[in-house]
Every structure is written in structure tokens, then in C-alpha cells.
């Protein structure tokens, strides 16, 4: 029987645990025409939440479009993503209207397409096409009197599409006050801060913050228990250790619950054997990712992560120096900032003042950079 725990892709609105409060806030802001930035570590459920909010917006009569910027390299790529989102997500008759409209817009210049004649002399030929596609909500309001709620997911990647692209985007969006409201979502805290928190950038202070924290233990316990029961299983005594290890990390909680479910037979309760086997399965799942993350770190970053995951002494302490080889002074400030910017660590009420975001990576770090053995 298929497991009721999805952990490899965004979940649908009916499978979303908790987040009612955040969904309501996002919807209210969109209905009020206010822009929002949604920030959370990787795999905290941003996209899943945004898909729910998109549905809520539609239920409230807004036109809602979700665009994912992951991997864009140019203004033309962004234009292409936006165009495709409208093409795929508008309901007819708006879809028919858009099909006609798009033929009147300047080209997107996506990679591989032909450059228009004379494009070599233009400074940024892709920007015209981008501006035209960004203007669609304004045209939709003029033509059909409909307001839009637009989600730009993985928005930090605009920074990779050229230094001025955020300014180009803002120049059009600031004309949308009555036509559309936006959610900008991103999983790279450093780049989101660069976009929305630096004075010289076009989006400085342009969007109120909604942040996603870990999921509550009570919500997770209830939902995991319910899904086991719905498939004639009992999560049993394994629930406690699962909640402790996942520490509210949404994707890690679902990953662990999935493997525990697979190791629990119909009509039975999950016991310590099942939990041990599930941990082994989970570790096999994430090992490649953990190794790749580790390989990409500098020596100072590794030492900091080990000390933070260890959590037994402050980063400037003698113990941190002896046990993890950390330099005494502020020599590691830059590395700390990088780790935080990359979303590897977040501030927390711990002895180091930090916490490793991924609890499975933290377990591996804590166990001497190898996996514990469960039998
Ligand atoms: N509220 C939730 N309820 C249930 N599962 C969740 C929830 N939030 C996240 N998840 C789990 O986390 C996984 C990742 O969710 P999602 O892709 O929405 O996160 P994300 O923050 O957009 O991730 P990324 O940073 O990789 O874009 C989902 O497959 C699901 O297992
Ligand atoms: Mg996502």
C-alpha cells in the first residue's frame, strides 16, 4: 500500500499540516493588494503553502498565477516563465484572451530562440519582452476588471538573471497597485535579504514579511497518528523519537514518517525495531545530499557546523577550540554569515546561539560526521 506521507514534492492543500494562520495572512494581504515576501528555510513547505493560497485566492474571485523562477539566467528566461504560467494556469475565456494578447507582445528571447533583427545593438533586448509579460495583470484589469494575485517562487534567482533585473521588474510592478498583489518567496535567506533589505536594491522595503517556522509537535503528532490509523496501523511508541529527531522540520518529519509507515505492518503498531529500520532507510535516502553539502563547505564552515550541531559549548569557548578546531576570535564571522545566508543555520536559543536547519544533517554532524548505527 502506498504511504500517505509525501516528502519529495510540494503537497496539495488537503495534505498541508497546520499553516492555517500563515495561509490566512497571505490571503488577507493579497486581497488587500499588499505585497509580501515569504521566507523559510529549504523544504519548510513554502511552495505547498503557496499552492493552497493560490486556490484560496481563486475561491475569492482573484485571478491567481504561480511562477517559479528556479534556474532563470536572463530576463528572457523570466519572461518565458511568466508567459508559460499564464498559458497553463488561466481558465478560459481568459486563456483565450491571453493567447491573443501574447502575440502582440515583444519576444521573450528565451535561450535557443532566434534573436530579432537588430537585437545586437539593443542593450538588453530581453527586458522589453519581460516588461510586456509583467504588464499582463494591468491589462487584465483594464480589459476584464479582474484583480490578480501573483506568486513569484524562488524569487532570489532574479539576482542571477542580471544585476538590474529586479529594477526592471519593480518598474512595472509599481504600476499595479489596483491590478495585482504579489508574493515573493525564496529559500535563500542571504539573497532574499540582498533583494529586500539592501537600500540600493529596487525592492528595498517593498514587501511585508511572512516567515514559516517549524511545524508544532502537537500538529505533527495528530496528523501522523491519524494517517497511520487511516491505513490500519498504529504509530505507537515510535512517534516520540520521530518527533524529537524531526524537530519540527516539515520535510524531514514526512520523510521519517514515510519510512516508519513502510516498516509497519497492517494491523500492527510501530515498535523500536520498525523505528530503527526506518532510520536506516531515511539515512540511505539523505546520505548523498549530506555528503555533497559537506564537500562544498570550507574548513571553517565545517568546524562551525560541527560545533553548532554538537551544541555543548559557545563558539568562542575553549571547548570549541579544542574539540572542533575553531579559531578563538571573530575569524569565523564571515563563515557564519555565509552559512546563515545559505540557509544551513538559523538563530536559536542554544548555547551557540544557532541551530542547524536540517535535523538529519545535524545528527550526522553530531555523531562525528558519520551515521550512528541502529540495530
Ligand atoms: N505543512 C506541511 N504539511 C505537510 N508536509 C509538509 C508541510 N510543509 C512541508 N511539507 C513537506 O516538505 C516537503 C517540501 O515542501 P515544499 O516543496 O512545499 O517546500 P519548499 O519550502 O517550497 O521547499 P524548497 O525550498 O525546496 O522549494 C513536502 O514534500 C512535504 O513532505
Ligand atoms: Mg519550493
Amino acid at each position: 500500500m502506498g504511504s500517505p506521507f509525501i516528502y519529495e514534492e510540494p503537497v496539495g492543500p488537503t495534505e498541508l499540516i497546520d499553516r492555517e494562520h500563515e495561509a490566512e495572512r497571505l490571503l488577507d494581504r493579497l486581497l488587500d493588494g499588499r505585497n509580501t515576501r515569504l521566507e523559510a528555510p529549504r523544504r519548510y513547505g513554502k511552495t505547498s503553502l503557496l499552492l493552497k493560497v493560490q486556490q484560496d485566492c481563486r475561491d475569492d474571485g482573484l485571478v491567481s498565477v504561480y511562477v517559479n523562477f528556479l534556474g532563470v539566467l536572463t530576463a528572457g528566461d523570466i519572461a518565458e516563465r511568466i508567459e508559460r504560467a499564464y498559458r497553463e494556469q488561466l481558465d478560459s475565456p481568459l486563456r483565450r484572451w491571453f493567447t491573443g494578447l501574447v502575440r502582440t507582445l515583444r519576444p521573450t528571447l528565451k535561450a535557443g530562440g532566434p534573436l530579432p533583427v537588430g537585437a545586437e545593438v539593443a542593450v538588453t533586448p530581453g527586458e522589453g519582452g519581460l516588461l510586456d509579460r509583467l504588464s499582463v495583470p494591468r491589462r487584465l484589469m483594464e480589459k476584464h476588471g479582474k484583480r490578480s494575485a501573483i506568486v513569484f517562487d524562488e524569487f532570489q534567482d532574479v539576482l542571477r538573471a542580471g544585476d538590474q533585473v529586479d529594477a526592471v521588474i519593480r518598474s512595472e510592478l509599481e504600476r499595479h497597485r489596483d491590478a495585482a498583489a504579489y508574493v515573493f518567496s525564496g529559500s535563500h535567506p542571504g539573497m532574499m535579504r540582498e533583494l529586500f533589505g539592501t537600500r540600493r536594491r529596487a525592492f528595498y522595503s517593498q514587501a511585508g514579511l511572512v516567515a514559516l517556522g517549524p511545524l508544532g509537535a502537537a500538529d505533527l503528532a495528530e496528523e501522523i497518528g491519524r494517517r497511520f490509523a487511516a491505513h490500519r496501523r498504529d504509530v505507537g511508541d515510535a512517534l516520540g523519537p520521530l518527533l524529537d529527531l524531526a524537530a519540527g522540520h516539515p520535510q524531514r518529519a514526512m520523510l521519517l514518517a514515510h519510512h516508519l509507515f513502510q516498516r509497519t505492518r497492517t494491523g500492527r503498531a510501530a515498535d523500536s525495531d520498525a523505528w530503527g529500520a526506518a532510520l536506516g532507510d531515511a539515512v540511505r535516502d539523505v546520505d548523498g545530499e549530506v555528503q555533497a553539502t559537506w564537500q562544498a563547505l570550507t574548513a571553517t564552515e565545517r568546524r562551525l557546523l560541527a560545533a553548532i550541531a554538537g551544541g555543548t559549548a559557545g563558539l568562542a569557548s575553549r571547548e570549541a577550540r579544542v574539540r572542533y578546531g575553531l579559531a578563538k576570535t571573530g575569524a569565523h564571522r564571515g563563515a557564519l554569515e555565509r552559512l546563515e545566508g545559505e540557509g544551513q543555520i538559523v538563530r536559536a536559543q542554544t548555547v551557540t546561539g544557532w541551530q542547524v536547519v536540517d535535523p538529519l544533517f545535524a545528527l550526522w554532524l553530531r555523531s562525528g560526521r558519520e551515521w550512528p548505527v541502529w540495530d
Side-chain angles (χ1 to χ4, degrees):
M1 161 153 327
S3 140
F5 300 99
I6 297 168
Y7 67 96
E8 286 173 307
E9 54 199 40
V11 297
T14 55
E15 280 140 330
L16 198 67
I17 300 171
D18 190 20
R19 305 300 194 209
E20 287 94 4
H21 180 67
E22 292 88 347
E24 216 168 285
R25 268 198 73 198
L26 285 168
L27 179 64
D28 283 350
R29 294 183 63 89
L30 286 164
L31 289 169
D32 281 357
R34 283 181 295 166
N35 295 341
T36 309
R37 70 183 205 275
L38 176 66
E39 279 186 35
R42 281 213 57 210
R43 303 199 186 112
Y44 257 49
K46 296 176 296 298
T47 301
S48 306
L49 173 63
L50 292 169
L51 295 176
K52 174 177 164 45
V53 170
Q54 188 183 17
Q55 193 178 72
D56 293 346
C57 285
R58 291 205 171 128
D59 292 346
D60 273 353
L62 297 180
V63 173
S64 184
V65 178
Y66 168 92
V67 192
N68 194 320
F69 285 10
L70 189 69
V72 295
L73 295 174
T74 62
D77 284 347
I78 299 177
E80 182 65 24
R81 295 285 172 95
I82 296 172
E83 180 177 319
R84 196 171 70 207
Y86 279 103
R87 216 165 43 225
E88 293 173 353
Q89 297 169 40
L90 284 182
D91 293 332
S92 50
L94 291 183
R95 185 184 294 221
R96 281 196 294 279
W97 166 78
F98 182 73
T99 307
L101 174 74
V102 93
R103 280 157 176 78
T104 69
L105 306 180
R106 285 171 279 180
T108 57
L109 296 189
K110 68 175 168 182
L115 282 183
V117 178
E120 300 84 336
V121 293
V123 188
T124 48
E127 288 175 4
L130 173 57
L131 282 170
D132 281 2
R133 276 142 196 91
L134 288 166
S135 74
V136 171
R138 200 155 44 80
R139 297 170 193 243
L140 224 148
M141 173 55 93
E142 283 161 12
K143 183 79 183 166
H144 297 276
K146 288 215 175 258
R147 286 183 50 212
S148 303
I150 313 281
V151 171
F152 286 158
D153 202 358
E154 305 292 357
F155 187 65
Q156 76 271 334
D157 275 14
V158 300
L159 282 173
R160 301 188 210 271
D163 199 47
Q164 288 306 310
V165 173
D166 54 331
V168 173
I169 296 176
R170 162 126 197 245
S171 70
E172 172 58 37
L173 264 48
E174 65 191 2
R175 303 169 66 189
H176 288 205
R177 193 141 292 279
D178 301 316
Y182 290 80
V183 178
F184 309 97
S185 177
S187 49
H188 191 293
M191 290 166 87
M192 288 296 275
R193 209 174 309 134
E194 160 81 17
L195 274 166
F196 291 95
T198 345
R199 253 170 222 288
R200 67 182 179 84
R201 301 236 65 119
F203 276 97
Y204 177 68
S205 278
Q206 286 301 303
L209 174 68
V210 171
L212 287 185
L215 290 174
D219 289 318
L220 278 172
E222 188 184 322
E223 189 58 21
I224 293 171
R226 196 189 63 72
R227 291 186 197 177
F228 267 74
H231 291 77
R232 298 208 301 118
R233 286 164 177 80
D234 180 355
V235 67
D237 292 340
L239 180 62
L242 188 158
L243 295 176
D244 289 345
L245 178 56
H249 187 296
Q251 194 269 350
R252 290 325 196 199
M254 293 302 108
L255 171 85
L256 292 166
H258 165 81
H259 288 298
L260 183 64
F261 180 91
Q262 300 289 43
R263 291 286 185 168
T264 309
R265 276 188 274 149
T266 314
R268 297 287 185 82
D271 54 16
S272 57
D273 283 351
W275 174 237
L279 277 172
D281 296 341
V283 156
R284 272 187 288 282
D285 240 10
V286 303
D287 182 57
E289 178 194 336
V290 162
Q291 304 294 345
T293 305
W294 184 250
Q295 291 306 324
L297 297 168
T298 66
T300 308
E301 289 168 344
R302 291 177 182 188
R303 293 190 158 123
L304 283 167
L305 280 171
I308 291 166
T312 52
L315 295 177
S317 67
R318 184 170 172 278
E319 184 182 331
R321 208 157 64 243
V322 174
R323 206 192 268 233
Y324 303 105
L326 269 179
K328 192 177 176 184
T329 55
H332 50 243
R333 188 160 305 135
L336 260 185
E337 266 171 33
R338 265 196 314 281
L339 288 172
E340 202 241 345
E342 299 274 334
Q344 294 287 354
I345 56 172
V346 286
R347 288 192 187 276
Q349 304 278 358
T350 60
V351 64
T352 59
W354 298 95
Q355 184 191 327
V356 175
V357 169
D358 176 357
L360 293 177
F361 188 28
L363 174 69
W364 180 85
L365 290 163
R366 239 186 348 262
S367 314
R369 276 64 68 200
E370 56 187 13
W371 296 109
V373 179
W374 300 279
D375 14 61

